Amino acid sequence: WKIGSWEMIRAFRADKEEVNVATFSPDGATLATVGDEGTLKLWDIATGRCRLERPAHRRDAVIARFSPDGRLLLTGGRKYGLLKLWELGRGAEIKSVRAHPREFECAVVSPDGKFLVTTGSGEIKLWEMSRLSLIEEGPRGHVSVQGAAFSRDGTSLAVATEMTRQVLLMDVPSLHLRHVMGGHTEG
């Protein structure tokens, strides 16, 4: 869609069932999609053609995040907690890790591309992005951990919890809990 006029520029048939995530590469030239089929697709924005299609997850893929330099892409499957790192130049999977024992909710890359935070199964985990190696685990006991966001300088992390209706503010990379903020009346 063209912002302002809301004129449709192009439509993609990205999944036979549901598309769960569509995200632009940092340079805006590529769109990555994942959906209920579990397939990763990379689309050329200029032509509308699919330039890469790979089976990524056993159905229900819900995470697609580019590294800030656009060389790497993360995908995640909701029900199995599996996280995959892809090198886009070759279109190849580099590494796969079981990030969470059950459901996977969110994955966010830090502004400098050094860190990755994942949430799921009531857990908050900090990873070294390029190797997908676990660095730290955050405070436990927060049921239904949902979205997360890094501060612009990457030194703070905010995590939303649906059931307790709170936002947890933590230091990076220690994941030391600095503040718990409440006030929302719905999840």
Side-chain angles (χ1 to χ4, degrees):
W1 299 92
K2 190 180 286 186
I3 302 297
S5 67
W6 294 108
E7 171 191 347
M8 185 169 60
I9 298 169
R10 183 163 285 113
F12 301 90
R13 178 105 177 129
D15 199 283
K16 292 176 188 164
E17 296 175 34
E18 291 181 16
V19 177
N20 295 323
V21 177
T23 186
F24 282 100
S25 61
D27 65 5
T30 303
L31 186 73
T33 61
V34 294
D36 283 357
E37 289 179 288
T39 303
L40 165 63
K41 295 179 183 177
L42 297 180
W43 303 87
D44 183 276
I45 295 299
T47 65
R49 288 193 305 233
C50 182
R51 63 180 175 90
L52 177 79
E53 184 172 342
R54 296 280 189 272
H57 299 276
R58 287 189 292 160
R59 307 192 50 76
D60 209 16
V62 294
I63 306 290
R65 300 281 184 271
F66 283 96
S67 62
D69 63 8
R71 293 181 320 109
L72 302 173
L73 179 76
L74 291 157
T75 61
R78 180 188 320 258
K79 298 208 188 305
Y80 306 104
L82 196 62
L83 182 66
K84 292 187 177 187
L85 185 64
W86 303 83
E87 193 273 309
L88 295 178
R90 297 179 297 130
E93 181 184 325
I94 299 172
K95 188 170 182 180
S96 177
V97 296
R98 188 156 190 95
H100 298 277
R102 293 178 310 282
E103 293 209 355
F104 200 158
E105 295 295 340
C106 174
V108 181
V109 179
S110 65
D112 63 3
K114 184 177 177 182
F115 299 118
L116 163 72
V117 163
T118 62
T119 66
S121 305
E123 301 172 326
I124 304 162
K125 294 183 178 183
L126 181 72
W127 306 82
E128 193 277 321
M129 171 78 174
S130 66
R131 293 190 320 258
L132 278 188
S133 56
L134 185 63
I135 297 171
E136 191 64 62
E137 292 190 47
R140 292 183 178 265
H142 296 280
V143 179
S144 193
V145 178
Q146 295 288 323
F150 281 97
S151 61
R152 186 173 292 207
D153 65 2
T155 62
S156 296
L157 177 71
V159 177
T161 63
E162 184 178 27
M163 301 301 273
T164 60
R165 299 178 301 277
Q166 297 173 323
V167 174
L168 311 175
L169 186 62
M170 292 173 265
D171 295 322
V172 174
S174 69
L175 294 189
H176 170 77
L177 184 60
R178 195 176 339 147
H179 299 291
V180 176
M181 298 172 278
H184 290 278
T185 57
E186 294 292 329

